Amino acid sequence: MNFLEEVPAIRRLETNRDDLFAVDIVGEVTPADAENLYGLLEAAYALHPHIDVLVRLTDFEGAQWAEISPQTFEQGRETALRHVKRCASVGGPDWTGLLGSELPEGAEIRHFPAGEEAEAWHWLGAQPRDTA
């Protein structure tokens, strides 16, 4: 399989809220996946100055952090701190501590084990939209 045939690790999830950005992360995140994620988030910020985020980690195999530009990573983190009100991570490792001490007033971040995905959706006041 060549680069153009690879399935993206980050896949958008449809929800019942326009101001909720939800993604499923499957497998290993490449630098191209990270760039795509930041672009999708920028589009969400343009539509809604403040959003909630749900990140579902399904069979997460890690990220190629060393290959992602430090400037890109830092810019994405700083922008998220300005725009994200609530963030729920579901499954995978609990990475919420990476931002916990830097959250602006009123912002919240929580990790939910994979078996508690319904609780994460409830916490955000949202539901996944059936795309079938």
Side-chain angles (χ1 to χ4, degrees):
M1 180 181 288
N2 70 36
F3 177 74
L4 295 176
E5 295 173 336
E6 291 182 17
V7 176
I10 298 172
R11 302 165 194 165
R12 197 73 204 270
L13 297 171
E14 295 296 322
T15 77
N16 66 332
R17 285 184 44 203
D18 289 340
D19 63 343
L20 173 65
F21 180 84
V23 293
D24 194 16
I25 300 179
V26 180
E28 184 176 34
V29 177
T30 67
D33 292 317
E35 291 284 345
N36 182 47
L37 174 62
Y38 290 144
L40 291 170
L41 282 165
E42 288 291 335
Y45 303 149
L47 294 173
H48 303 281
H50 293 99
I51 63 172
D52 290 338
V53 174
L54 182 133
V55 177
R56 182 172 67 193
L57 301 163
T58 306
D59 298 324
F60 181 62
E61 296 174 5
Q64 298 173 6
W65 297 118
E67 303 298 320
I68 298 171
S69 159
Q71 294 84 3
T72 298
F73 185 78
E74 186 61 23
Q75 181 180 4
R77 187 185 67 74
E78 288 177 4
T79 305
L81 287 171
R82 287 193 310 271
H83 293 280
V84 177
K85 295 184 304 185
R86 285 183 143 188
C87 179
S89 71
V90 179
D94 181 358
W95 49 266
T96 59
L98 295 176
L99 294 175
S101 64
E102 298 179 36
L103 292 178
E105 186 175 331
E108 299 177 79
I109 189 168
R110 282 185 60 188
H111 176 262
F112 296 84
E116 295 179 11
E117 181 175 344
E119 288 85 347
W121 286 103
H122 178 75
W123 182 68
L124 292 169
Q127 296 177 340
R129 185 173 291 157
D130 185 11
T131 57

